[in-house]
Amino acid sequence: MPDFQPKIVAFVCNWCTYAGADLTGTSRMKYSPQVSIIRFPCTGRIDFMLLLKAFASGADGIIVSGCHPNDCHYSSGNFHARRRWIIFRGLLDFLGIDVRRVQFSWVSAAEGAKWAQLVNETSERIRELGPFAGYQRLRGLGVG
Amino acid sequence: MNALREKARELLATKTVQVVIGYAPGSGGAARALFVREAAQAGELVFDETCLQNLAAYLMKPEVRRLGRAALVARPATLRTILQLAAENQLAESSLLALVPGADGVLSLSTFSAIEAHVAAQDNDLSAAEKSELEKFAAMGLDERREFWQEQFSRCLKCYACRAACPLCYCTRCTVECNQPQWIPVPAHDLGNLEWNVMRAMHLAGRCTNCGDCSRACPVGIPLYLLNQKLCSDVLSSFNQRSGMAARADHSLSTFKPDDPEDFIR
Ligand code: SF4
Ligand code: SF4
């Protein structure tokens, strides 16, 4: 599918990854434009239901990113989030949802280059996986 | 069974408890819950292999709490549930005692530490059959798993019987009833059914004691136990934690270790 432009939603924390993505821009680094960034106070606030809602709204892939371990602005939000992701990923896989569509990462405020690389690689992978039609078909009844 | 009736009679006559929550024959060969409040009624209690319900669910109901101190006929998973509820600060030690029917009479456990000791000695692992069913799933292809669950969830009626049956689904206001925003769509369609079942499983992750009541309550026979057992086994393998082992314990998803696995994070 050469023309397929994946929709990627990035859930990022305010303190590290959002600032990191900002740095990517202010450093004039070019990266894949398919990503829409949503800023959260902390990775600890990124409820798994929000990821499901992103898929339901048409996202083909998701990035979830925050501060590296020990760098959380609230000291432990990312550690708690990590446990939730471990369990959530296992459940998605068990339900037959391809976890390659959800990329988790730590990107600090200084890692503008890592952010660009992360988005590029993720959008490349989602492009290969194609549209998330299986999930979007669930909307069948048109109520969401 | 006689020992159980005798014990119930004694507890009620001496006013040690105000109610004994046990089992009586129900319809269709199943057992139903029986609330015994008079010593004279204790003869109606039964205990056999049809008595499966996790009676700890009643401990969370205000109308049951108002009855006073309760003695609860407890199966292995019921004991774990009591400890899990205690660990979540939902039960006072003085509010209950657990009656465990065994081959040689009935054991009465009146403190959390007595329950902990009993639970530590019982088998809390998934059974061999349960483990092999999970392995079978792990060996299936992604599409096969998706089709399986899509078919299962397509039958969900959003009746929330699974939630009502679960002793650990005790929130007085569930996210399901929340409509600002509407997390879970009201009608039973494929998308909302998936979202509901993911949410139910996730909110019980690390808390579910694998009593099986949600699956038994489901009117359309969705194997919810598979989701619960998958999460129990992941919590054990990733965090080395089990629910319902101690009355004071960190909940596995509201605590962390600095070296939790993160091979999937870039
Ligand atoms: S989720 Fe099901 S198996 Fe787990 S505690 Fe609740 S009713 Fe029991
Ligand atoms: S009991 Fe079964 S049908 Fe009812 S809401 Fe739960 S999963 Fe759906």
Side-chain angles (χ1 to χ4, degrees), chain A residues 13-52:
Chain A
C13 85
N14 178 39
W15 303 98
C16 292
T17 305
Y18 192 82
D22 205 24
L23 180 65
T24 319
T26 49
S27 316
R28 299 275 183 270
M29 274 181 250
K30 275 201 173 150
Y31 66 99
S32 167
Q34 276 99 20
V35 65
S36 310
I37 298 179
I38 307 178
R39 174 162 63 156
F40 281 76
C42 177
T43 41
R45 172 63 184 87
I46 303 173
D47 193 294
F48 62 90
M49 284 303 290
L50 296 168
L51 310 193
L52 291 189

Side-chain angles (χ1 to χ4, degrees), chain B residues 166-168 200 204 208-214 228:
Chain B
C166 179
L168 290 156
R200 192 202 64 81
L204 285 152
C208 167
T209 56
N210 193 24
C211 71
D213 268 9
C214 47
N228 302 327

Side-chain angles (χ1 to χ4, degrees), chain B residues 36-177:
Chain B
V36 185
R37 296 167 69 188
E38 309 286 344
Q41 208 197 342
E44 292 173 34
L45 287 168
V46 299
F47 191 77
D48 56 30
E49 66 289 348
T50 64
C51 300
L52 294 170
Q53 190 190 345
N54 183 349
L55 299 174
Y58 295 114
L59 295 175
M60 297 307 297
K61 311 280 178 212
E63 59 275 30
V64 175
R65 290 184 167 201
R66 274 197 293 274
L67 297 177
R69 191 176 188 214
L72 197 72
V73 178
R75 298 164 25 81
T78 317
L79 295 174
R80 290 196 297 270
T81 308
I82 291 172
L83 292 179
Q84 183 62 29
L85 287 170
E88 296 178 12
N89 297 317
Q90 299 299 319
L91 284 183
E93 192 161 18
S94 58
S95 68
L96 77 145
L97 60 85
L99 298 177
V100 185
D104 38 349
V106 50
L107 210 61
S108 160
L109 307 170
S110 59
T111 61
F112 286 154
S113 56
I115 298 178
E116 282 168 355
H118 191 87
V119 166
Q122 76 189 13
D123 186 3
N124 300 297
D125 233 347
L126 296 184
S127 71
E130 290 168 341
K131 282 185 191 156
S132 82
E133 199 164 4
L134 286 186
E135 277 160 23
K136 199 185 83 195
F137 261 80
M140 271 158 65
L142 206 58
D143 290 339
E144 208 183 334
R145 281 203 292 270
R146 197 189 55 235
E147 277 156 29
F148 173 87
W149 286 110
Q150 212 160 307
E151 194 282 314
Q152 295 292 338
F153 293 156
S154 71
R155 290 180 290 117
C156 175
L157 311 159
K158 292 258 191 67
C159 67
Y160 304 133
C162 45
R163 179 185 67 172
C166 179
L168 290 156
C169 265
Y170 53 70
C171 297
T172 44
R173 189 153 183 266
C174 175
T175 322
V176 151
E177 268 91 43

Side-chain angles (χ1 to χ4, degrees), chain A residues 72-89:
Chain A
C72 175
H73 186 76
Y74 309 99
S75 76
S76 63
N78 53 356
F79 285 126
H80 285 101
R82 183 169 64 185
R83 283 211 160 188
R84 200 180 315 138
W85 299 344
I86 292 170
I87 294 303
F88 185 56
R89 268 182 104 244

Side-chain angles (χ1 to χ4, degrees), chain A residues 84-125:
Chain A
R84 200 180 315 138
W85 299 344
I86 292 170
I87 294 303
F88 185 56
R89 268 182 104 244
L91 180 63
L92 287 185
D93 183 61
F94 193 69
L95 294 172
I97 295 173
D98 195 338
V99 290
R100 287 176 300 173
R101 292 190 183 270
V102 192
Q103 176 66 57
F104 297 94
S105 78
W106 308 131
V107 173
S108 80
E111 293 176 317
K114 178 175 177 184
W115 174 254
Q117 201 189 355
L118 179 80
V119 174
N120 286 339
E121 285 176 17
T122 307
S123 62
E124 200 39 56
R125 172 151 26 88

